[in-house]
Amino acid sequence: MNEQSFGKVITAMVTPFDQEGNVNYEMAEKLAIHLVDNGSDSLLLCGTTGESPTLSWSEKSQLFQVVKKAVGSKGKVLAGTGANSTQHAIEMTEKVAKMGLDGSLQVVPYYNKPPQEGLYEHFKKIAETVGNFPIILYNIPGRTGQNMSPETIAKLAEINNIIAIKEASGNLEQACKIRRMTDPSFLIYAGDDFLTLPLLTVGGVGVISVASHLVGTQMQQMIAAFENNKGSQATEINVKLFPLFKVLFCTTNPIPIKAALNLQGWQVGSVRLPLVELSETLKEEVKVVLQELSLIDK
């Protein structure tokens, strides 16, 4: 498989809630269609940005089916089905494969901090159990408490259906090592919007993005400019979008992106506890950046 499988820009989609805090499937449908029409090649549902820890399996299952039907052939739909229990991750991944989704994101097991050999066996077991169903690894030590080493990643990349990694360690040296140690067909996606362009320079192919909710088309333009040897143009777009990349992580994701979408008129609702609403001070900071980029009216 190559980058055309899931494209350059994969949006880690928020999960909309209604005023009572229930999943708003109608809004999820509308948002998903908007995203694939505006720069998103694929959508990732029920990742951290989708508040997966607070969603029941029943909610996740319905969300997967609603969005997959809404998107149709316009884009691919991936499911966040990682867990810190190998068996639980397998069970969820088997279910989404049967639903006809296009792939799965598998996060490094959190809290129990397995050693590197445990990480290898965890992902190997999941991949082998689900056959040819595509798996994207997800390395984010800031949330999981454990970094997956380039050596472990390279070993896992030899498994046929482990096709990519969302690399969110924030460490470009690690990304460079992964690129050196893996076949070019193994795809490296940035896990941080602000590192998309730097990661491209060390062999990345794109981004699994939060900012693409708002600037998916511009993210595509930046990547295309880089690939077409228009480095100054890519840099110009990156510099322009940098304040947005930063303000969307002024506190825990997805609190700021949900506030930004609500400011745009998308009724995606609040976040579920233990997350809380964005403070008025930070909301004003988000608003200013959105106005500067003409993403909302002044």
Side-chain angles (χ1 to χ4, degrees):
M1 301 183 78
N2 57 37
E3 64 265 34
Q4 297 306 314
S5 300
F6 297 120
K8 308 289 186 180
V9 177
I10 302 171
T11 297
M13 196 177 105
V14 301
T15 299
F17 298 130
D18 62 23
Q19 290 183 336
E20 286 73 43
N22 300 311
V23 177
N24 187 336
Y25 298 104
E26 183 180 353
M27 185 56 61
E29 187 178 70
K30 291 178 181 177
L31 180 61
I33 293 169
H34 170 77
L35 291 173
V36 295
D37 285 342
N38 290 274
S40 298
D41 297 308
S42 301
L43 303 177
L44 167 66
L45 304 178
C46 300
T48 312
T49 309
E51 298 179 70
S52 57
T54 67
L55 296 174
S56 68
W57 171 252
S58 175
E59 290 172 323
K60 292 178 181 180
S61 177
Q62 188 171 346
L63 190 62
F64 294 147
Q65 294 174 73
V66 165
V67 171
K68 180 62 178 173
K69 183 178 179 181
V71 170
S73 61
K74 289 184 175 181
K76 301 290 182 68
V77 178
L78 302 160
T81 55
N84 60 353
S85 159
T86 305
Q87 187 55 40
H88 187 209
I90 288 170
E91 290 168 0
M92 289 191 293
T93 308
E94 287 180 322
K95 288 177 181 177
V96 299
K98 289 176 182 176
M99 285 180 195
L101 269 67
D102 301 294
S104 165
L105 185 78
Q106 294 287 337
V107 70
V108 165
Y110 39 87
Y111 190 76
N112 41 14
K113 294 184 73 173
Q116 295 300 313
E117 186 59 27
L119 293 177
Y120 175 75
E121 293 296 336
H122 170 79
F123 291 117
K124 177 174 178 282
K125 181 74 170 178
I126 296 167
E128 290 179 345
T129 303
V130 296
N132 293 322
F133 193 62
I135 300 292
I136 300 178
L137 305 173
Y138 183 14
N139 187 41
I140 181 164
R143 282 188 182 263
T144 65
Q146 181 71 303
N147 181 57
M148 185 157 51
S149 72
E151 291 78 11
T152 300
I153 294 165
K155 193 176 173 184
L156 286 165
E158 296 174 2
I159 298 171
N160 182 57
N161 59 322
I162 296 181
I163 65 164
I165 186 166
K166 178 182 179 182
E167 175 53 33
S169 67
N171 186 339
L172 282 175
E173 180 180 348
Q174 169 147 317
C176 196
K177 286 181 179 178
I178 295 168
R179 184 70 294 158
R180 280 180 57 85
M181 298 173 71
T182 56
D183 188 88
S185 63
F186 182 73
L187 309 174
I188 304 174
Y189 285 96
D192 302 286
D193 285 302
F194 78 98
L195 285 177
T196 304
L197 184 55
L199 198 77
L200 293 176
T201 68
V202 296
V205 298
V207 60
I208 298 181
S209 173
V210 174
S212 56
H213 282 90
L214 309 170
V215 290
T217 301
Q218 293 94 315
M219 299 290 284
Q220 287 281 6
Q221 291 169 345
M222 179 177 70
I223 295 169
F226 174 83
E227 291 180 337
N228 292 319
N229 297 314
K230 297 178 181 178
S232 59
Q233 183 182 339
T235 299
E236 183 180 338
I237 297 170
N238 187 56
V239 169
K240 181 180 179 182
L241 297 181
F242 183 74
L244 179 67
F245 297 157
K246 296 305 291 182
V247 82
L248 289 180
F249 285 84
C250 61
T251 188
T252 306
N253 178 54
I255 296 171
I257 185 58
K258 276 197 148 179
L261 286 166
N262 283 318
L263 284 168
Q264 274 199 326
W266 290 97
Q267 296 177 1
V268 296
S270 186
V271 288
R272 282 182 175 173
L273 287 171
L275 300 183
V276 291
E277 283 273 7
L278 195 64
S279 70
E280 288 303 317
T281 300
L282 290 178
K283 191 179 292 185
E284 187 60 30
E285 290 183 20
V286 171
K287 185 177 179 181
V288 168
V289 173
L290 295 184
Q291 288 174 332
E292 288 176 350
L293 291 172
S294 300
L295 296 172
I296 60 173
D297 294 332
K298 292 186 178 180

